[in-house]
Amino acid sequence: EVQVVESGGGSVPTGGSLRLSCTASGGTLHGSNVVWYRQKPGEECLMVSTTSPGGQTYFTNFIEGRVAISFEHTKPTEYLWLSSLTPEDSAVYHCALGIPDIYACSWGQGTQVTVSA
């Protein structure tokens, strides 16, 4: 079974950028959707992006225009590039495989993104 783990979070000022990583072990990322989520304390798990096995990408409206996806074949890793960040983007970011699921944010540790005002 393919497992994924996210990393790359940190603290940045408003307007800053971060690159988050979703790295697979036990297989590749090509057989499933790769989905990024974020969750703020006490709030629901929201989809940020989805990459299909065919390489199509979809972004949620609140992040569209400030996000990009790239893929590293050697790891394998999908990178989520976040830019023009604001405090509203502060959340724990998660990645998971498969069809988007509202419980995905509970499946792993996530990586914290904190944007200061």
Side-chain angles (χ1 to χ4, degrees), residues 28-87:
T28 75
L29 295 170
H30 295 294
S32 303
N33 293 325
V34 180
V35 186
W36 282 95
Y37 307 83
R38 75 183 194 190
Q39 186 173 45
K40 303 177 183 181
E43 299 188 11
E44 70 269 27
C45 182
L46 299 177
M47 189 191 76
V48 175
S49 70
T50 299
T51 304
S52 75
Q56 297 167 300
T57 57
Y58 308 89
F59 302 113
T60 302
N61 288 342
F62 61 72
I63 202 70
E64 190 170 12
R66 304 185 294 117
V67 64
I69 293 288
S70 66
F71 187 79
E72 172 62 51
H73 295 278
T74 58
K75 296 291 180 179
T77 297
E78 180 179 288
Y79 298 107
L80 181 73
W81 303 77
L82 303 172
S83 61
S84 299
L85 291 166
T86 76

